[in-house]
Amino acid sequence: MGLYTAEAINIKSFNLGEADKIITLFSRQFGKIRAVAKGARRMRSKFGGRLELLVQNKVQLVSGKDLEQLSQAETINSFFSLKDNMDKLSTACYFTWLVDRATEDKQPNAPLYDLLRNSLH
């Protein structure tokens, strides 16, 4: 596929090495995508807070053998109001955990994406 763009919600992430991060995204067009964000944990990273859990981004990805590479991210919605209420935040985290467990990589599921996005609103 080469270079492609998707609207996606961050559903999971973990650190890789000294400065990188692996992020799991869920998009309407491509389903669950696992991508590496090079240098994401550095102080002067171009990603900033865009790779936090529960952030909806327009992302640009480069296809890779095992993982995609995240080259750009632009925040659409950070769902900031969820972070004010612990009950809402824990419910939203549970939703992302369910989506991660219930889906396979690169299997589009537009109704599930819409349900997740609407639930986060």
Side-chain angles (χ1 to χ4, degrees):
M1 260 184 354
L3 183 69
Y4 65 99
T5 304
E7 181 180 300
I9 297 171
N10 305 347
I11 61 171
K12 184 177 167 183
S13 71
F14 59 92
N15 297 336
L16 176 69
E18 280 187 34
D20 302 338
K21 199 173 210 181
I22 293 181
I23 184 125
T24 304
L25 308 161
F26 189 66
S27 75
R28 185 176 226 278
Q29 308 94 316
F30 305 104
K32 186 165 64 172
I33 304 165
R34 296 180 197 279
V36 62
K38 300 274 186 186
R41 292 175 34 218
R42 295 194 179 165
M43 291 296 285
R44 298 184 188 258
S45 170
K46 64 182 175 182
F47 298 114
R50 292 178 183 90
L51 301 183
E52 295 298 319
L53 188 64
L54 304 172
V55 175
Q56 182 184 20
N57 292 307
K58 181 178 179 185
V59 295
Q60 192 173 48
L61 300 153
V62 178
S63 294
K65 188 175 181 181
D66 295 325
L67 294 171
E68 312 297 284
Q69 184 171 341
L70 186 65
S71 62
Q72 188 175 352
E74 180 182 329
T75 301
I76 297 171
N77 193 341
S78 63
F79 302 106
F80 190 71
S81 63
L82 291 174
K83 292 155 178 104
D84 291 341
N85 183 319
M86 187 58 84
D87 291 332
K88 289 181 184 179
L89 181 61
S90 62
T91 302
C93 289
Y94 181 63
F95 289 161
T96 61
W97 181 82
L98 286 173
V99 168
D100 184 43
R101 293 294 183 160
T103 57
E104 294 292 323
D105 288 353
K106 299 183 182 174
Q107 297 297 316
N109 190 337
L112 183 58
Y113 176 80
D114 292 337
L115 180 64
L116 177 62
R117 187 190 63 218
N118 293 337
S119 297
L120 296 177
H121 276 287

